Amino acid sequence: MTRSLRNLPPAFWGLIAVGVLAAFTQPQFLSLPFLMILLRQAASIGIVALGQTFVVANRSLDLSVGANIAFVNLILAHAMWSGYHPFVAIVVALAAGTFIGFANGVLVTKLRASAVVVTLGTAAIITGIGFLYTGGAPGSSISDLVKWLGRGRVGIVPVAGLVWLGFAIAAFIIMRRLALGRFIYAAGDNPFAALFSGLPVDRTLLASHTLCGFFAASGGVLLSGLIGVGSINLGADYVLSSITAVILGGAVFGGGAGGAVGTVLGTALLVTVLNLLTVFGVGEPGKLIMQGLVIAAAAIIYQQGRRNG
Amino acid sequence: MIGKESHRSIAQRLQQDAFWFRQRGALLSFMILGLMLLFLSLFLGERFVSTTNIANLAGQLAPLFLVSLGQTFVLLGAGFDLSVGAVISLTTAILTLDFPDVFKLPLAIAAAVTVGLVNGVGCVYLRVHPIIMTLATSSIVQGVALILLPTPGGIAPQVLVTAASGTLFGLPAGFYWIIAAAALSIWVVHGTKYGVRLYATGENPQSAWINGINAPSIRISTYVISAMCAAIAGAYLTGRLASGDPNVGIALGLDSILGAALGGTLLSGGVGGPIGTIAGVLIIGLLNNGLNLANISPYYQFVFKGAMLIAAVSLFRRKEAGL
């Protein structure tokens, strides 16, 4: 019992603490309509963070998710889709994002270069290509289908929240029910042991980077729908946010911990804290400081627990 | 029987071999740099080889030199510092506060040393992964910088304006900052016991510890050096702009890693050094400068930079894939 309690991600306790704090200081914060607004806002970060979970659990990192989201937004907002069904634009955007992830995976596994440098490099390349493709202008409008995905509601529940749920279930199945998930955790915990045990370490890493690209692009579609217009530099802050959510969810570069549930809780905690700070009148700088403190605290607590356990 | 003399010569030869083994990346970077210089001077001619252009280049590149050299120390010690960009921003914010000039510079240096110590202690004693630790501090430090200086503005201390944008013997001030930083870091890494300990620590902290090197404090010191280099770069930028900008450091943070990596410093520690970093930073500078002079869209710079970064790191294959 104590062991299963200790295995809960830091985000779980954080959410309880924040919930209690909100209940006493800002009761209207916990009302259902407001929580649904939070859910809509959290969905895109949540999906990107789920993608980041695959690579982090695999002892890698993707710093190109921000550029990936921006690129997806540029594709969706480009005027060239005016004659086509909006579905085509979404498929092309998702394909492009998935390809970015695949390219990251190929470079990381074949070149054996550090994932940090490789993904920084691909992020720069994607940003450049995006600018060249649009001529530096944020595109035109975004199709109604994408807007519905980002902003629409089914009853009271936002569509984006349902999409997030779908992605979370998919991520959970991949990580905890499929062989691929076993491989990801094994290769993340000890790459050499995994290799000597005959696991396809390289293909696993390639798969997790590709999945991360696909998830980031999907988050980009939702975010584009929420924003509703083409925008240069969309999603730049998602690199930090997605990593924060993953760390809060308990996954820290291998070690077999964390997963889809942890990351969902981590995203929920992150978005709740940031919004609560807004309610308390804290500005952007204060949020940056808070986010940094939260990352450091979660990482330190997690690390100490691992050493003792 | 081997005499005392030949023992010494064997030791010397081993040391030389180790030096060239670690600098193998720098050699390649200098070859690329040479080719670029040849190419640029052939195709751009007088536009490239002019005193104004070179002076301009030195002034622009000085901050990147400073942070990249600092980053090189951290990378040699098998660490990683994403927080240098935020430290630069914080420094410009502190230096343009409404405060007597005498207190501002010590305050800025003290702030940077604190950030470096926090990074180092977090990574070494609390065992947080360097990427996570420095990502966290970078977020905090950037937040503090934005609180101190919400929008670009403020007035830089006159001393710094003179030191950063003046000329001496016909050469721009940035040139002297570069020479000083390069000479100092090459001396520290290749001419002192600290340098030997740094390489040993970066290659294998456990063996370094067993051989009597205080590896934890060496690793912490690299973060402090990197933060101080970032603070000096921030001071230079404040002087050059003659005012403050809380977002000035963001791009430089990533470019510092690019400069070190292009110079053949491995992110896994113990290989590379400041000599290579000098070539790496010059390659970035010449690339930007050449593309500007040739009137090529600045958007291509992103693509070229990214492609070069990937090409540079792909030249040194490691055993493991991932981080």
Side-chain angles (χ1 to χ4, degrees), chain A residues 56-83:
Chain A
V56 171
N58 209 157
R59 200 184 283 261
S60 188
L61 193 66
D62 189 346
L63 296 178
S64 69
V65 288
N68 192 335
I69 293 169
F71 196 64
V72 164
N73 176 266
L74 290 178
I75 292 179
L76 289 176
H78 203 273
M80 65 189 274
W81 304 113
S82 53

Side-chain angles (χ1 to χ4, degrees), chain B residues 243-265:
Chain B
S243 79
D245 180 353
N247 293 313
V248 72
I250 291 173
L252 277 168
L254 296 181
D255 277 0
S256 72
I257 294 160
L258 179 65
L262 277 178
T265 299

Side-chain angles (χ1 to χ4, degrees), chain A:
Chain A
M1 181 64 197
T2 48
R3 193 163 162 216
S4 60
L5 273 182
R6 207 184 296 159
N7 281 345
L8 285 169
F12 180 75
W13 304 110
L15 260 181
I16 291 180
V18 171
V20 171
L21 178 74
F24 279 105
T25 54
Q26 305 283 347
Q28 79 279 15
F29 193 84
L30 295 174
S31 67
L32 196 59
F34 194 79
L35 287 179
M36 287 300 145
I37 293 175
L38 281 191
L39 178 61
R40 194 175 69 177
Q41 201 189 336
S44 48
I45 303 178
I47 293 175
V48 179
L50 282 170
Q52 193 74 264
T53 313
F54 293 115
V55 282
V56 171
N58 209 157
R59 200 184 283 261
S60 188
L61 193 66
D62 189 346
L63 296 178
S64 69
V65 288
N68 192 335
I69 293 169
F71 196 64
V72 164
N73 176 266
L74 290 178
I75 292 179
L76 289 176
H78 203 273
M80 65 189 274
W81 304 113
S82 53
Y84 296 88
H85 191 272
F87 193 66
V88 180
I90 297 180
V91 170
V92 170
L94 289 180
T98 312
F99 178 75
I100 293 169
F102 178 73
N104 281 333
V106 169
L107 291 171
V108 168
T109 52
K110 294 294 168 219
L111 302 181
R112 303 246 152 225
S114 160
V116 177
V117 180
V118 166
T119 54
L120 276 182
T122 48
I125 295 176
I126 302 160
T127 308
I129 293 177
F131 280 150
L132 288 168
Y133 169 58
T134 58
S140 50
S141 64
I142 281 182
S143 68
D144 288 336
L145 176 62
V146 178
K147 279 185 193 162
W148 177 75
L149 282 172
R151 299 173 179 173
R153 287 172 189 277
V154 178
I156 188 177
V157 187
V159 179
L162 295 175
V163 176
W164 184 21
L165 179 69
F167 272 90
I169 292 171
F172 179 81
I173 291 173
I174 292 172
M175 300 200 85
R176 295 291 175 190
R177 291 286 175 272
L178 295 188
L180 176 62
R182 297 277 157 198
F183 291 167
I184 287 177
Y185 282 116
D189 200 22
N190 190 334
F192 291 110
L195 186 66
F196 292 140
S197 313
L199 301 190
V201 175
D202 278 3
R203 264 186 294 156
T204 305
L205 191 57
L206 180 62
S208 48
H209 270 287
T210 311
L211 279 169
C212 181
F214 174 67
F215 274 58
S218 310
V221 171
L222 290 191
L223 183 64
S224 303
L226 187 62
I227 304 285
V229 288
S231 159
I232 292 283
N233 274 339
L234 191 71
D237 52 339
Y238 272 42
V239 180
L240 182 62
S241 310
S242 66
I243 296 171
T244 312
V246 171
I247 294 166
L248 289 177
V252 183
F253 300 128
V261 180
T263 299
V264 169
L265 291 174
T267 312
L269 176 62
L270 177 68
V271 174
T272 316
V273 168
L274 291 182
N275 276 284
L276 205 55
L277 288 174
T278 310
V279 173
F280 284 128
V282 179
E284 275 313 307
K287 284 183 194 167
L288 273 176
I289 295 176
M290 193 64 195
Q291 201 161 339
L293 288 175
V294 165
I295 300 177
I300 290 169
I301 292 168
Y302 178 78
Q303 211 60 32
Q304 298 311 306
R306 226 162 56 141
R307 209 191 305 175
N308 300 334

Side-chain angles (χ1 to χ4, degrees), chain B residues 43-85:
Chain B
F43 282 85
L44 296 168
E46 302 245 305
R47 268 185 295 168
F48 177 67
V49 198
S50 69
T51 34
T52 30
N53 186 43
I54 304 231
N56 196 5
L57 201 59
Q60 277 172 359
L61 279 184
L64 187 56
F65 260 106
L66 290 161
V67 274
S68 287
L69 288 170
Q71 185 73 257
T72 307
F73 280 85
V74 182
L75 295 180
L76 283 181
F80 203 88
D81 193 351
L82 285 173
S83 70
V84 284

Side-chain angles (χ1 to χ4, degrees), chain B residues 91-105:
Chain B
T91 311
T92 69
I94 291 177
L95 289 175
T96 47
L97 282 176
D98 201 7
F99 233 51
D101 283 355
V102 201
F103 298 120
K104 283 197 280 194
L105 212 54

